[in-house]
Amino acid sequence: MGVITYEHEVTSSIPPAKMWNAYILDADNLIPKVLPQAIKSVETLEGDGGVGTIKCVTFGEGSQFKSVKHRIDGIDKENYSFQYSIIEGDALGDSLESISYDVKIEAGPDGGSVCKTISKYITKGEHIVHITEEKIKEGKEKAKALFKAVEAHLHAHPHEYNY
């Protein structure tokens, strides 16, 4: 089994607590509203939203993939840290066992935030998976677009997610 790891960082003018509440805690509801072409729906299959919860993410019409199942592996609300893994679905293809993500939202400049993500692609058996720089860049751009769509929504609706 091999592991391919890459890191990604996106900054925002939105404070960490507000971005956490929207981008992580209410992502299942908010993201299909603000970026339906990317994520059509998110359905909880088992669990209560905590560690071990399994969700089905259905992608939008323009996506090359249909859906994935992901599992929540960790959540630390006090430190704005969230871990989850894609454990099933066509995005894994024939050679990936899973993809895990470690997301942390930290205080950024001028009262904003920085979202740091570490992605790990875990291969099946002895498969050697070559992920091109182009594919990595494409993935980072999609993640940034999702984050920026949430940021734009929060700017347009400043009274939401202030809890």
mmCIF file of all heavy atoms in Angstrom, residues 15-40:
data_model
loop_
_atom_site.group_PDB
_atom_site.id
_atom_site.type_symbol
_atom_site.label_atom_id
_atom_site.label_comp_id
_atom_site.label_asym_id
_atom_site.label_seq_id
_atom_site.Cartn_x
_atom_site.Cartn_y
_atom_site.Cartn_z
ATOM 1 N N PRO A 15 -13.713 35.322 9.580
ATOM 2 C CA PRO A 15 -13.091 34.805 10.804
ATOM 3 C C PRO A 15 -13.211 33.277 10.916
ATOM 4 O O PRO A 15 -14.164 32.679 10.393
ATOM 5 C CB PRO A 15 -13.885 35.482 11.927
ATOM 6 C CG PRO A 15 -14.536 36.659 11.293
ATOM 7 C CD PRO A 15 -14.772 36.297 9.860
ATOM 8 N N PRO A 16 -12.274 32.631 11.615
ATOM 9 C CA PRO A 16 -12.265 31.173 11.702
ATOM 10 C C PRO A 16 -13.565 30.539 12.213
ATOM 11 O O PRO A 16 -14.033 29.561 11.639
ATOM 12 C CB PRO A 16 -11.102 30.870 12.654
ATOM 13 C CG PRO A 16 -10.219 32.054 12.574
ATOM 14 C CD PRO A 16 -11.121 33.222 12.296
ATOM 15 N N ALA A 17 -14.140 31.073 13.285
ATOM 16 C CA ALA A 17 -15.352 30.461 13.856
ATOM 17 C C ALA A 17 -16.501 30.470 12.853
ATOM 18 O O ALA A 17 -17.209 29.471 12.694
ATOM 19 C CB ALA A 17 -15.765 31.180 15.139
ATOM 20 N N LYS A 18 -16.678 31.563 12.171
ATOM 21 C CA LYS A 18 -17.764 31.674 11.192
ATOM 22 C C LYS A 18 -17.515 30.746 9.994
ATOM 23 O O LYS A 18 -18.428 30.075 9.514
ATOM 24 C CB LYS A 18 -17.895 33.127 10.729
ATOM 25 C CG LYS A 18 -19.107 33.397 9.896
ATOM 26 C CD LYS A 18 -19.264 34.902 9.686
ATOM 27 C CE LYS A 18 -20.610 35.201 9.127
ATOM 28 N NZ LYS A 18 -20.929 36.616 9.156
ATOM 29 N N MET A 19 -16.282 30.689 9.516
ATOM 30 C CA MET A 19 -15.958 29.803 8.397
ATOM 31 C C MET A 19 -16.143 28.348 8.815
ATOM 32 O O MET A 19 -16.683 27.536 8.065
ATOM 33 C CB MET A 19 -14.535 30.062 7.901
ATOM 34 C CG MET A 19 -14.181 29.262 6.669
ATOM 35 S SD MET A 19 -15.289 29.490 5.248
ATOM 36 C CE MET A 19 -14.662 31.011 4.564
ATOM 37 N N TRP A 20 -15.737 27.992 10.020
ATOM 38 C CA TRP A 20 -15.922 26.640 10.552
ATOM 39 C C TRP A 20 -17.405 26.263 10.565
ATOM 40 O O TRP A 20 -17.789 25.191 10.119
ATOM 41 C CB TRP A 20 -15.321 26.552 11.951
ATOM 42 C CG TRP A 20 -15.647 25.303 12.701
ATOM 43 C CD1 TRP A 20 -16.626 25.143 13.633
ATOM 44 C CD2 TRP A 20 -15.005 24.036 12.585
ATOM 45 N NE1 TRP A 20 -16.623 23.859 14.107
ATOM 46 C CE2 TRP A 20 -15.636 23.160 13.480
ATOM 47 C CE3 TRP A 20 -13.953 23.560 11.807
ATOM 48 C CZ2 TRP A 20 -15.258 21.819 13.625
ATOM 49 C CZ3 TRP A 20 -13.569 22.230 11.949
ATOM 50 C CH2 TRP A 20 -14.222 21.388 12.843
ATOM 51 N N ASN A 21 -18.218 27.160 11.100
ATOM 52 C CA ASN A 21 -19.652 26.880 11.203
ATOM 53 C C ASN A 21 -20.282 26.636 9.832
ATOM 54 O O ASN A 21 -21.100 25.736 9.684
ATOM 55 C CB ASN A 21 -20.372 28.028 11.906
ATOM 56 C CG ASN A 21 -20.018 28.109 13.378
ATOM 57 O OD1 ASN A 21 -19.630 27.128 13.994
ATOM 58 N ND2 ASN A 21 -20.130 29.304 13.938
ATOM 59 N N ALA A 22 -19.880 27.405 8.844
ATOM 60 C CA ALA A 22 -20.458 27.279 7.506
ATOM 61 C C ALA A 22 -19.801 26.173 6.694
ATOM 62 O O ALA A 22 -20.484 25.279 6.174
ATOM 63 C CB ALA A 22 -20.337 28.606 6.755
ATOM 64 N N TYR A 23 -18.483 26.219 6.580
ATOM 65 C CA TYR A 23 -17.726 25.340 5.674
ATOM 66 C C TYR A 23 -17.632 23.891 6.170
ATOM 67 O O TYR A 23 -17.557 22.968 5.375
ATOM 68 C CB TYR A 23 -16.326 25.916 5.476
ATOM 69 C CG TYR A 23 -15.474 25.231 4.441
ATOM 70 C CD1 TYR A 23 -15.850 25.228 3.096
ATOM 71 C CD2 TYR A 23 -14.290 24.596 4.794
ATOM 72 C CE1 TYR A 23 -15.060 24.610 2.136
ATOM 73 C CE2 TYR A 23 -13.490 23.988 3.838
ATOM 74 C CZ TYR A 23 -13.878 23.993 2.512
ATOM 75 O OH TYR A 23 -13.100 23.382 1.562
ATOM 76 N N ILE A 24 -17.657 23.707 7.498
ATOM 77 C CA ILE A 24 -17.550 22.357 8.057
ATOM 78 C C ILE A 24 -18.881 21.908 8.662
ATOM 79 O O ILE A 24 -19.474 20.925 8.217
ATOM 80 C CB ILE A 24 -16.422 22.262 9.112
ATOM 81 C CG1 ILE A 24 -15.061 22.648 8.508
ATOM 82 C CG2 ILE A 24 -16.392 20.860 9.738
ATOM 83 C CD1 ILE A 24 -14.554 21.737 7.398
ATOM 84 N N LEU A 25 -19.368 22.621 9.671
ATOM 85 C CA LEU A 25 -20.538 22.141 10.406
ATOM 86 C C LEU A 25 -21.823 22.128 9.583
ATOM 87 O O LEU A 25 -22.659 21.251 9.777
ATOM 88 C CB LEU A 25 -20.733 22.960 11.688
ATOM 89 C CG LEU A 25 -19.609 22.864 12.726
ATOM 90 C CD1 LEU A 25 -19.986 23.653 13.979
ATOM 91 C CD2 LEU A 25 -19.297 21.409 13.078
ATOM 92 N N ASP A 26 -22.000 23.082 8.675
ATOM 93 C CA ASP A 26 -23.234 23.114 7.875
ATOM 94 C C ASP A 26 -22.973 22.852 6.389
ATOM 95 O O ASP A 26 -23.791 23.163 5.535
ATOM 96 C CB ASP A 26 -23.963 24.454 8.048
ATOM 97 C CG ASP A 26 -25.410 24.373 7.572
ATOM 98 O OD1 ASP A 26 -26.071 23.345 7.830
ATOM 99 O OD2 ASP A 26 -25.874 25.326 6.916
ATOM 100 N N ALA A 27 -21.843 22.254 6.087
ATOM 101 C CA ALA A 27 -21.460 22.010 4.685
ATOM 102 C C ALA A 27 -22.491 21.188 3.930
ATOM 103 O O ALA A 27 -22.762 21.455 2.754
ATOM 104 C CB ALA A 27 -20.099 21.314 4.629
ATOM 105 N N ASP A 28 -23.087 20.196 4.592
ATOM 106 C CA ASP A 28 -24.053 19.316 3.919
ATOM 107 C C ASP A 28 -25.244 20.085 3.362
ATOM 108 O O ASP A 28 -25.810 19.720 2.335
ATOM 109 C CB ASP A 28 -24.568 18.239 4.870
ATOM 110 C CG ASP A 28 -23.473 17.314 5.357
ATOM 111 O OD1 ASP A 28 -22.319 17.427 4.890
ATOM 112 O OD2 ASP A 28 -23.780 16.469 6.214
ATOM 113 N N ASN A 29 -25.623 21.160 4.042
ATOM 114 C CA ASN A 29 -26.749 21.992 3.593
ATOM 115 C C ASN A 29 -26.301 23.149 2.710
ATOM 116 O O ASN A 29 -26.924 23.441 1.692
ATOM 117 C CB ASN A 29 -27.500 22.561 4.804
ATOM 118 C CG ASN A 29 -28.082 21.482 5.680
ATOM 119 O OD1 ASN A 29 -28.752 20.578 5.188
ATOM 120 N ND2 ASN A 29 -27.811 21.556 6.957
ATOM 121 N N LEU A 30 -25.224 23.812 3.118
ATOM 122 C CA LEU A 30 -24.803 25.042 2.444
ATOM 123 C C LEU A 30 -24.162 24.808 1.075
ATOM 124 O O LEU A 30 -24.505 25.488 0.103
ATOM 125 C CB LEU A 30 -23.844 25.831 3.338
ATOM 126 C CG LEU A 30 -23.367 27.171 2.774
ATOM 127 C CD1 LEU A 30 -24.545 28.113 2.533
ATOM 128 C CD2 LEU A 30 -22.350 27.810 3.702
ATOM 129 N N ILE A 31 -23.256 23.863 0.966
ATOM 130 C CA ILE A 31 -22.512 23.697 -0.287
ATOM 131 C C ILE A 31 -23.412 23.338 -1.471
ATOM 132 O O ILE A 31 -23.259 23.924 -2.540
ATOM 133 C CB ILE A 31 -21.310 22.749 -0.096
ATOM 134 C CG1 ILE A 31 -20.292 23.459 0.812
ATOM 135 C CG2 ILE A 31 -20.687 22.375 -1.430
ATOM 136 C CD1 ILE A 31 -19.111 22.630 1.234
ATOM 137 N N PRO A 32 -24.392 22.425 -1.315
ATOM 138 C CA PRO A 32 -25.293 22.188 -2.459
ATOM 139 C C PRO A 32 -26.087 23.440 -2.882
ATOM 140 O O PRO A 32 -26.471 23.563 -4.037
ATOM 141 C CB PRO A 32 -26.228 21.086 -1.955
ATOM 142 C CG PRO A 32 -25.424 20.363 -0.925
ATOM 143 C CD PRO A 32 -24.613 21.445 -0.243
ATOM 144 N N LYS A 33 -26.282 24.373 -1.956
ATOM 145 C CA LYS A 33 -26.980 25.626 -2.284
ATOM 146 C C LYS A 33 -26.073 26.598 -3.032
ATOM 147 O O LYS A 33 -26.497 27.234 -3.986
ATOM 148 C CB LYS A 33 -27.492 26.311 -1.009
ATOM 149 C CG LYS A 33 -28.628 25.594 -0.348
ATOM 150 C CD LYS A 33 -29.027 26.326 0.920
ATOM 151 C CE LYS A 33 -30.018 25.514 1.723
ATOM 152 N NZ LYS A 33 -30.301 26.122 3.026
ATOM 153 N N VAL A 34 -24.829 26.733 -2.572
ATOM 154 C CA VAL A 34 -23.940 27.735 -3.160
ATOM 155 C C VAL A 34 -23.144 27.229 -4.357
ATOM 156 O O VAL A 34 -22.663 28.032 -5.149
ATOM 157 C CB VAL A 34 -22.983 28.372 -2.114
ATOM 158 C CG1 VAL A 34 -23.764 29.054 -1.011
ATOM 159 C CG2 VAL A 34 -22.001 27.369 -1.557
ATOM 160 N N LEU A 35 -23.010 25.911 -4.498
ATOM 161 C CA LEU A 35 -22.259 25.348 -5.616
ATOM 162 C C LEU A 35 -22.904 24.032 -6.085
ATOM 163 O O LEU A 35 -22.275 22.973 -6.054
ATOM 164 C CB LEU A 35 -20.798 25.128 -5.193
ATOM 165 C CG LEU A 35 -19.721 25.344 -6.242
ATOM 166 C CD1 LEU A 35 -19.778 26.732 -6.869
ATOM 167 C CD2 LEU A 35 -18.355 25.095 -5.658
ATOM 168 N N PRO A 36 -24.178 24.105 -6.545
ATOM 169 C CA PRO A 36 -24.899 22.883 -6.918
ATOM 170 C C PRO A 36 -24.279 22.134 -8.097
ATOM 171 O O PRO A 36 -24.478 20.929 -8.228
ATOM 172 C CB PRO A 36 -26.304 23.381 -7.246
ATOM 173 C CG PRO A 36 -26.124 24.822 -7.591
ATOM 174 C CD PRO A 36 -24.979 25.299 -6.752
ATOM 175 N N GLN A 37 -23.519 22.822 -8.936
ATOM 176 C CA GLN A 37 -22.860 22.140 -10.046
ATOM 177 C C GLN A 37 -21.734 21.236 -9.558
ATOM 178 O O GLN A 37 -21.348 20.294 -10.228
ATOM 179 C CB GLN A 37 -22.361 23.126 -11.104
ATOM 180 C CG GLN A 37 -21.277 24.068 -10.639
ATOM 181 C CD GLN A 37 -21.778 25.331 -9.951
ATOM 182 O OE1 GLN A 37 -22.847 25.379 -9.362
ATOM 183 N NE2 GLN A 37 -20.965 26.382 -10.015
ATOM 184 N N ALA A 38 -21.234 21.489 -8.359
ATOM 185 C CA ALA A 38 -20.173 20.664 -7.781
ATOM 186 C C ALA A 38 -20.764 19.550 -6.908
ATOM 187 O O ALA A 38 -20.424 18.384 -7.064
ATOM 188 C CB ALA A 38 -19.219 21.515 -6.958
ATOM 189 N N ILE A 39 -21.639 19.932 -5.979
ATOM 190 C CA ILE A 39 -22.243 18.974 -5.046
ATOM 191 C C ILE A 39 -23.759 19.108 -5.149
ATOM 192 O O ILE A 39 -24.319 20.153 -4.822
ATOM 193 C CB ILE A 39 -21.811 19.249 -3.583
ATOM 194 C CG1 ILE A 39 -20.294 19.282 -3.436
ATOM 195 C CG2 ILE A 39 -22.478 18.252 -2.635
ATOM 196 C CD1 ILE A 39 -19.596 17.965 -3.528
ATOM 197 N N LYS A 40 -24.390 18.037 -5.594
ATOM 198 C CA LYS A 40 -25.850 18.039 -5.731
ATOM 199 C C LYS A 40 -26.538 17.835 -4.380
ATOM 200 O O LYS A 40 -27.496 18.517 -4.045
ATOM 201 C CB LYS A 40 -26.278 16.952 -6.709
ATOM 202 C CG LYS A 40 -27.754 16.910 -6.984
ATOM 203 C CD LYS A 40 -28.064 15.841 -8.019
ATOM 204 C CE LYS A 40 -29.546 15.762 -8.298
ATOM 205 N NZ LYS A 40 -29.843 14.722 -9.290
#
